[in-house]
Amino acid sequence: MSSFSIPTPSGSSAIPIVAPTTEKETPKSPPPSKNLAANSKTRTCRNLIIHGYCKYEGKGCEFNHDLGKSTSPPNSPETTKSKLSVNSPVFKPSVLISSIPPEVVNAPPFIPKSTQVNPPEEIPVTPTSTPGSPQKNSGEQEYDNEITIYEQSMGFYPPVPPSTPFLLSPGGAGSHGLNALANSFASLGLNANANQFASNENSIPDVLSHHHMNNTSYFTTSHHLDPFLYQSQQALLPQPLRYHLYTSPLPHVSNLHPHQKTIHSFFMSDHLREELQQKNEATLKIVNAKDFNLPEELHVYHSLYPLDQRQEKSIKIFGYPSWVYKSVCLVDGRVYCLRRIEGFRLTNEIAMSTIENWRRIRHANIVSVREAFTTKAFGDHSLVFVYDYHPLSQTLFDKHFSPSLQPTNLPQGGGTGAITETVLWSYITQLASAIKTIHSSGLAARTIEPTKILLTNKNRSIRINCCGIMDMLTFDGGKNIPHFQQEDLLNFGQLIISLACNSLSSVHNLPKSIDYISRHYSLDLKNVILYLLSKPTPMKSIDDVIAMIGPRLLHEINSVHHYNDFLESGLSQELENGRLVRLLCKFGFINERPEFDMDPSWSETGDRYLIKLFRDYVFHQVDENGYPVVDMAHVLMCLNKLDAGVDERIMLVSRDEQSCLIVSYKEIKNCIDSAFRDLSRRK
């Protein structure tokens, strides 16, 4: 390490460094005047008032240090005024609380007529005092009420309507925590009525006054607990936070200069992160197999998780009840989707060969088929198909035809719930591309209907699901493939009509549905629907549909490329995070290591001491007021310079400020690499 010497200029321009004075030395001050000296002896020292003591008492401080000593003359007007003192006797009224007539004490609580909600069975927290706590007399209660009303009139407590107090179950885990919280407020004196919220299992609810309820509305408001954050109201157990690891930028700092950046510019967008984390969470979900009467293992799959929670199973599509599960494969450890056809007995083993043709199809709008097998693990003869798993997918039926989304006063379901034409063209182009691939392979989809088409992400990406099931259930050797392909086109047209009219029943009244589409959508969309619903002929194919929607394909391609740019932008923002994580891992291996190579001080000596000082330089800086500097930009800048090994020099100061080192990032990087190699070597 090279050293630098800076010549000191001759002359008196240098600023002399003076050692700070110690506490033992008396601070020098100009001689006060006689009048000031006389007044200072009767004035209480401010150090005593602020800090509770004065370190210059008896060492030259001329102010009064005796709080019990009067600081004013005996006959001054201040001594004649009555003042509130701590040592004043407690006021004892002539009428005590115990003298209240019994009929008043045993009177039933007031219940308003407008309240129709039955009180719950839990015991509410009452403002009764706990055993052993001091009782307030009427004078003190009146004094507290006056303070409360005064504070409300000053505007510190906004008017809050009366609400029911927290309900605590007897002996619940939550009652002890809330009681401790209320007692801590009462002991601190932050609220005169805080001790009223210490619950007692045998306490009786009292009537709270209006101003008392306003003063304690924070504790008595009936808050609805989020089931995600709390498992139950009995035990308040915190759960992992939702997916917002970084808050969105504030509006007043959004318009920054080109050289300024926020923390969000270093990471992907919050919406994309939340979507990906939700999918990861859905992928890792598991259940107890015994609770759902599921087998522990199924062929080479385990950890079955039911994806379809609906108990009623329709046999309209396949003719058999079907169930959907998420599972993990023992062979490759990946997650797959299993669709079970309940009660199907395979009679022709040749039908299993039809799945091989579907396994060769790979398309962005088709859920890939992996394999199929029969099993008796569920207690019956079942046929299981294995597909790729797309977490958090929903069918077009759940997206657009759910009963909660259906309008009530529209004959065709249009209007407020209608799908925009842009979304419709996106669906049409994707389905046409998938059908084209299937028909070109000599197969037929046979599942073009809302409950068997998945919407896999928020970019309107759809996939045809359950391919190959009908070929095995109704095996005929492939004799009726042309007929089934014509049915695909017909079902395709019916699906578009249902989506455009936002009603599944619109296919039963085609003239009215076509009239509605001609009034709300373009002529090109109407022509595509009429062609798909036309009479099946050998000349009718999906190629004609693709030719009709040719101009719309350009818009879909443009949208896909825009979304691809968005994903690449998010990926580029997270690209460098791997380098920084590896660098931080090396820091964790080296810094504060208790022992290495039988040397307890290994991490504090040699090059490792330099690494420790750099860690303090990056993470443990403080400002001029002694507050920690939490600057993400500083951390990222230092770590990136260190990983690149630039020649920029910095000054590292020891914690006792007795030594400093001027080193470059390149030298620190060499020290880290050397120390990490020492840890990685094997003797």
Side-chain angles (χ1 to χ4, degrees), residues 215-491:
N215 189 20
T216 58
S217 60
Y218 179 82
F219 298 98
T220 59
T221 305
S222 179
H223 300 282
H224 297 283
L225 301 181
D226 192 348
F228 185 84
L229 298 177
Y230 302 101
Q231 292 181 351
S232 63
Q233 295 185 5
Q234 296 285 340
L236 304 180
L237 300 178
Q239 296 297 317
L241 295 176
R242 294 182 185 270
Y243 312 96
H244 308 287
L245 301 182
Y246 307 96
T247 57
S248 57
L250 300 177
H252 62 276
V253 295
S254 298
N255 299 325
L256 302 177
H257 296 286
H259 66 277
Q260 295 178 331
K261 286 185 177 181
T262 61
I263 190 175
H264 307 85
S265 60
F266 299 102
F267 306 98
M268 68 173 66
S269 65
D270 295 336
H271 299 288
L272 180 59
R273 179 186 297 106
E274 181 178 355
E275 180 182 356
L276 295 178
Q277 288 180 341
Q278 285 178 345
K279 289 184 177 181
N280 291 341
E281 183 184 8
T283 305
L284 299 176
K285 285 184 177 180
I286 58 174
V287 295
N288 189 1
K290 296 181 180 179
D291 296 340
F292 290 85
N293 197 19
L294 299 176
E296 295 289 343
E297 291 187 1
L298 182 64
H299 191 42
V300 294
Y301 303 94
H302 64 92
S303 302
L304 272 66
Y305 182 88
L307 297 178
D308 193 356
Q309 301 294 341
R310 291 177 295 183
Q311 297 297 328
E312 62 278 1
K313 294 298 175 182
S314 175
I315 60 175
K316 176 182 177 182
I317 305 300
F318 303 124
Y320 298 90
S322 62
W323 305 83
V324 186
Y325 307 98
K326 173 183 71 69
S327 64
V328 181
C329 181
L330 292 171
V331 179
D332 55 7
R334 298 180 180 179
V335 181
Y336 294 95
C337 178
L338 307 182
R339 180 170 290 272
R340 168 198 170 202
I341 306 299
E342 180 183 353
F344 176 78
R345 184 188 295 268
L346 185 64
T347 57
N348 191 352
E349 295 182 359
I350 304 178
M352 296 293 293
S353 61
T354 59
I355 205 68
E356 295 297 329
N357 296 328
W358 286 102
R359 292 181 59 184
R360 290 192 289 266
I361 295 180
R362 291 291 183 267
H363 194 272
N365 300 114
I366 301 175
V367 180
S368 299
V369 185
R370 297 298 176 175
E371 64 173 335
F373 58 90
T374 58
T375 181
K376 296 182 180 180
F378 295 95
D380 60 356
H381 294 274
S382 298
L383 179 62
V384 179
F385 293 84
V386 183
Y387 297 92
D388 286 349
Y389 174 61
H390 298 277
L392 297 184
S393 301
Q394 60 179 152
T395 64
L396 291 183
F397 178 84
D398 295 332
K399 178 66 177 179
H400 300 291
F401 303 105
S402 178
S404 60
L405 301 176
Q406 289 296 315
T408 57
N409 55 354
L410 298 173
Q412 293 295 336
T416 57
I419 305 175
T420 61
E421 187 168 352
T422 303
V423 177
L424 274 179
W425 281 116
S426 178
Y427 290 166
I428 292 172
T429 53
Q430 294 181 70
L431 290 176
S433 176
I435 295 174
K436 169 65 177 176
T437 301
I438 294 174
H439 289 185
S440 299
S441 302
L443 301 171
R446 306 178 67 178
T447 55
I448 309 297
E449 69 100 27
T451 60
K452 297 299 177 287
I453 297 178
L454 298 181
L455 184 65
T456 56
N457 58 32
K458 298 180 180 179
N459 194 38
R460 308 190 302 269
S461 177
I462 60 176
R463 300 173 189 263
I464 300 178
N465 193 21
C466 302
C467 295
I469 295 181
M470 295 301 300
D471 293 346
M472 191 174 297
L473 296 182
T474 60
F475 177 71
D476 57 357
K479 300 178 181 179
N480 297 322
I481 290 297
H483 172 71
F484 293 142
Q485 290 180 351
Q486 293 296 321
E487 284 189 352
D488 286 346
L489 299 180
L490 182 62
N491 294 333

